[in-house]
């Protein structure tokens, strides 16, 4: 007798964003087709008795093979990046197709498809990064791309080759409102950073740890408030990415209290690292933890944990930015130890994101398993137009699943599957790791081995965010 299902997961302790229950999960053709007790046989069966089973993670903020100015080059491409993601329980990634100034968005998308094609082992979508919002791009290209499934774009308030001014941001927010897209904002005040950087360098303070002094909380707080004000003027929702500390959290809570729908994201580095990880002396090791905004202090970590628990944060992403340490295309540009402004920004973490949060959040009781699912899968899916195909465990959804093994694991870079030569979490013990990662019904990680194949990952043409409503163009100056 042939099996009714391709795969049956038995006795799973299913956690969704809203419920926890025990169920078998029956999969056919990569989708969940039945849930209940005593399902009939599967061609393959996995016993998940006693194990929490969550939707596969969606990493809605990660950087893979993103073209950047030489000599820097990202160490992870779509092959190594998605492999690493899968081994840590992530089944969908949404990295960024970045517009080059003077170039078109379409060219960025075409180039990025070539980079992903045949390499990704899990499913993927693309956010856009808009760096040059010309009238033509605003009138035609961006609306067309939103309709084609690139329904979110990132706006930078800092970085010379990326930043937009307030007028450009207002126009993009108005466009997001009209077309129902999600605008993601990197909020740091670029002029404050430039002024502080200049005075630090003039004083001979150039070690990695001065990266923190060049981007204090104030510069993030001010830009967060300004971004919120711009969104209020346009009357549109938007998402603040990689929120690092208490003062930015306070701005988001202030906005919500005014009735504004401001969404927000944080990342593992703001829960688990502090400014001290960039160095307590002038040594260069701290370059490993140079990212923007930088990790703050213990009080900020507590504020970020509280905001994760109380619902302030919408999503939890890695902001994986893969630059190797001992690498002339990475943290040592041209093979040299350089002054902090020239260290490529970003921290690797695509594989460790879920185990760290499960371990430090769920197992410690700081957040429930349901909130874990909401932050790492369901809300990212709703925010970026993938729900309910992705981000939940339900009949009709893709069979993207993680079966958790609550065991002690010593984190070392040697056990990870990215191409980066370090992890900032080296030597830390986590209390859980995926026993299985299942992508559209296929086991891509079995607790010991990566079993995916490059090219099996599919491009996801995303719908509009279900977290926000599409609305008529705003009246007033920001049209
Ligand atoms: O330092 C960071 N966060 N690097 C990645 C790029 C970005 O701004 O997200
Ligand atoms: Zn950013
Ligand atoms: Zn980023």
């Amino acid at each position: 007798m042939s099996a009714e299902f391709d795969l049956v997961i038995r006795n799973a302790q299913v956690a969704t964003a809203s419920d926890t229950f025990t169920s078998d999960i029956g999969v056919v053709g990569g989708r969940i087709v039945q849930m209940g007790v005593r399902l009939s046989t599967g061609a393959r069966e996995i016993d998940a008795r006693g194990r929490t089973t969550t939707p596969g993670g969606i990493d809605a903020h990660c950087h893979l093979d993103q073209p950047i100015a030489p000599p820097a080059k990202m160490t992870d491409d779509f092959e190594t990046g998605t492999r690493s993601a899968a081994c840590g329980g992530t089944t969908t990634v949404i990295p960024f197709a970045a517009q080059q100034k003077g170039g078109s968005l379409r060219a960025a998308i075409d180039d990025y498809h070539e980079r992903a094609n045949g390499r990704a082992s899990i499913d993927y979508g693309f956010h856009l990064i808009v760096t040059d919002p010309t009238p033509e791009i605003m009138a035609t290209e961006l609306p067309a791309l939103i309709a084609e499934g690139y329904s979110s774009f990132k706006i930078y308030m800092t970085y010379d080759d990326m930043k937009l001014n307030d007028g450009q941001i207002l126009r993009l927010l108005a466009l997001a409102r009209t077309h129902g897209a999600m605008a993601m904002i990197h909020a740091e005040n670029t002029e404050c950073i430039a002024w502080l950087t200049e005075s630090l360098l003039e004083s001979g303070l150039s070690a990695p740890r001065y990266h923190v002094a060049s981007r204090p909380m104030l510069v993030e707080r001010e830009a967060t408030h300004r971004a919120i004000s711009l969104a209020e003027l346009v009357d549109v929702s938007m998402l603040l990415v990689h929120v690092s500390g208490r003062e930015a959290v306070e701005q988001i809570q202030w906005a919500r209290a005014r009735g504004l729908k401001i969404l927000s994201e944080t990342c593992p580095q703001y829960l688990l690292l502090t400014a001290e990880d960039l160095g307590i002396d002038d040594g260069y090791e701290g370059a490993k933890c140079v990212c923007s905004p930088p990790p703050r202090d213990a009080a900020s970590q507590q504020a970020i944990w509280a905001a994760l628990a109380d619902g302030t944060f919408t999503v939890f992403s890695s902001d994986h930015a893969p630059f190797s340490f001992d690498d002339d295309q990475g943290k040592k540009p041209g093979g040299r130890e350089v002054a902090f402004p020239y260290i490529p920004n970003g921290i690797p973490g695509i594989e460790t994101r879920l185990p760290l949060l499960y371990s430090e959040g769920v197992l410690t009781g700081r957040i429930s398993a349901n909130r874990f699912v909401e932050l790492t899968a369901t809300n990212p899916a709703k925010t970026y137009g993938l729900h309910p195909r992705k981000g939940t465990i339900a009949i009709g959804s893709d069979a993207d699943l993680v079966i958790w093994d609550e065991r002690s694991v010593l984190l070392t870079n040697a056990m990870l599957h990215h191409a980066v030569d370090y992890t900032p979490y080296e030597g830390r013990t986590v209390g859980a790791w995926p026993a299985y990662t299942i992508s559209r019904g296929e086991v891509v990680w079995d607790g010991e081995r990566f079993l995916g194949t490059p090219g099996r990952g599919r491009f996801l043409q995303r719908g509009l965010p279900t977290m926000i409503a599409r609305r008529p163009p705003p009246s007033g100056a920001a049209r």
Side-chain angles (χ1 to χ4, degrees):
M1 198 180 81
S2 69
E4 185 174 345
F5 302 100
D6 300 334
L7 171 70
V8 174
I9 297 162
R10 301 254 172 229
N11 309 304
Q13 304 294 308
V14 174
T16 68
S18 56
D19 301 297
T20 310
F21 54 92
T22 304
S23 180
D24 296 347
I25 302 169
V27 178
V28 174
R31 297 226 173 181
I32 298 172
V33 295
Q34 204 169 331
M35 295 177 69
V37 290
R38 289 190 289 278
L39 295 195
S40 85
T41 52
R44 176 168 187 183
E45 302 213 351
I46 294 174
D47 187 6
R49 185 179 297 278
R51 288 186 167 168
T52 299
T53 301
T54 59
I58 298 176
D59 196 340
H61 184 161
C62 53
H63 304 268
L64 300 176
D65 201 12
Q66 186 179 313
I68 40 174
K73 186 176 185 309
M74 291 193 176
T75 314
D76 277 319
D77 62 10
F78 275 84
E79 181 172 343
T80 59
T82 58
R83 176 183 73 196
S84 184
C87 297
T90 290
T91 50
T92 302
V93 290
I94 318 180
F96 295 85
Q99 180 193 18
Q100 306 300 308
K101 276 211 171 39
S104 74
L105 284 168
R106 183 73 67 184
I109 286 285
D110 292 347
D111 170 68
Y112 216 42
H113 273 295
E114 271 187 34
R115 290 167 188 259
N117 241 333
R119 294 193 180 88
S121 56
I122 55 171
D123 294 349
Y124 59 96
F126 298 159
H127 301 293
L128 303 166
I129 293 176
V130 182
T131 60
D132 199 1
T134 62
E136 162 66 12
I137 281 168
M138 297 289 283
T140 316
E141 208 178 50
L142 185 49
L145 287 171
I146 291 167
E148 284 173 35
Y150 308 92
S151 53
S152 47
F153 54 83
K154 186 171 175 188
I155 296 169
Y156 282 85
M157 297 173 91
T158 187
Y159 294 137
D160 286 345
D161 53 346
M162 303 272 207
K163 69 186 179 196
L164 302 183
N165 63 39
D166 289 356
Q168 292 170 315
I169 296 172
L170 279 168
R171 286 175 180 80
L172 278 164
L173 288 173
L175 189 150
R177 169 178 158 144
T178 307
H179 295 277
M182 182 62 70
M184 310 159 76
I185 311 252
H186 178 133
E188 289 184 294
N189 181 311
T190 200
E191 296 299 333
C192 294
I193 294 167
W195 183 74
L196 287 165
T197 300
E198 193 178 289
S199 51
L200 285 159
L201 293 180
E202 273 172 14
S203 307
L205 305 175
S206 63
R209 65 178 166 140
Y210 294 107
H211 177 77
V212 180
S214 75
R215 307 176 103 99
M217 192 71 231
L218 177 155
V219 314
E220 186 183 346
R221 185 234 298 159
E222 186 282 329
T224 301
H225 183 84
R226 184 155 39 97
I228 288 168
S229 301
L230 300 180
E232 181 176 4
L233 190 60
V234 177
D235 189 14
V236 69
S237 188
M238 62 160 188
L239 185 138
L240 290 151
V241 294
H242 46 49
V243 172
S244 75
R246 180 179 58 77
E247 294 182 31
V249 167
E250 285 169 356
Q251 295 303 315
I252 294 158
Q253 291 171 339
W254 173 85
R256 297 252 181 96
R258 283 172 77 81
L260 309 177
K261 190 145 191 215
I262 301 298
L263 312 182
S264 60
E265 168 200 84
T266 195
C267 315
Q269 46 270 37
Y270 306 117
L271 296 172
L272 301 169
L273 303 179
T274 67
E276 290 198 353
D277 289 295
L278 280 84
I280 48 175
D281 58 25
D282 286 354
Y284 201 71
E285 278 281 303
K288 290 178 175 174
C289 294
V290 165
C291 63
S292 298
R296 309 285 178 192
D297 58 11
S300 260
Q301 289 181 336
Q302 291 318 310
I304 297 291
W305 274 116
L308 266 188
D310 71 15
T312 301
F313 285 117
T314 318
V315 299
F316 184 77
S317 312
S318 70
D319 195 8
H320 180 77
F323 298 105
S324 282
F325 178 66
D326 226 338
D327 184 351
D328 57 8
Q329 296 182 318
K331 296 284 186 178
K332 294 180 182 167
R336 289 179 303 121
E337 297 187 356
V338 295
F340 70 82
Y342 308 105
I343 300 171
N345 279 207
I347 287 183
I350 204 164
E351 189 167 346
T352 47
R353 170 183 77 121
L354 295 178
L356 284 168
L357 186 64
Y358 193 97
S359 187
E360 297 293 328
V362 179
L363 296 181
T364 59
R366 285 174 167 130
I367 59 171
S368 66
N370 311 102
R371 178 72 176 137
F372 170 88
V373 170
E374 185 173 58
L375 284 160
T376 59
T378 312
N379 279 354
K382 289 180 176 174
T383 304
Y384 297 117
L386 290 171
H387 193 265
R389 178 171 169 196
K390 302 286 189 189
T392 191
I393 300 177
I395 291 169
S397 295
D398 280 355
D400 290 351
L401 303 160
V402 181
I403 302 173
W404 288 91
D405 187 5
E406 295 186 8
R407 66 182 164 104
S408 177
V409 175
L410 179 68
L411 268 180
T412 62
N413 199 53
M415 60 169 281
L416 299 178
H417 299 79
H418 58 189
V420 186
D421 65 357
Y422 77 97
T423 168
Y425 308 107
E426 184 79 30
R428 198 180 278 267
T429 301
V430 291
W433 202 268
Y436 294 93
T437 305
I438 296 167
S439 163
R440 279 184 281 101
E442 281 179 39
V443 174
V444 290
W445 164 252
D446 71 356
E448 288 176 6
R449 289 165 303 158
F450 171 66
L451 300 170
T453 46
R456 71 164 293 286
R458 291 185 188 153
F459 174 70
L460 298 166
Q461 195 178 4
R462 294 180 290 118
L464 296 179
T466 46
M467 283 284 206
I468 56 173
R470 187 170 168 176
R471 322 234 319 277
S475 57
R479 247 191 280 225

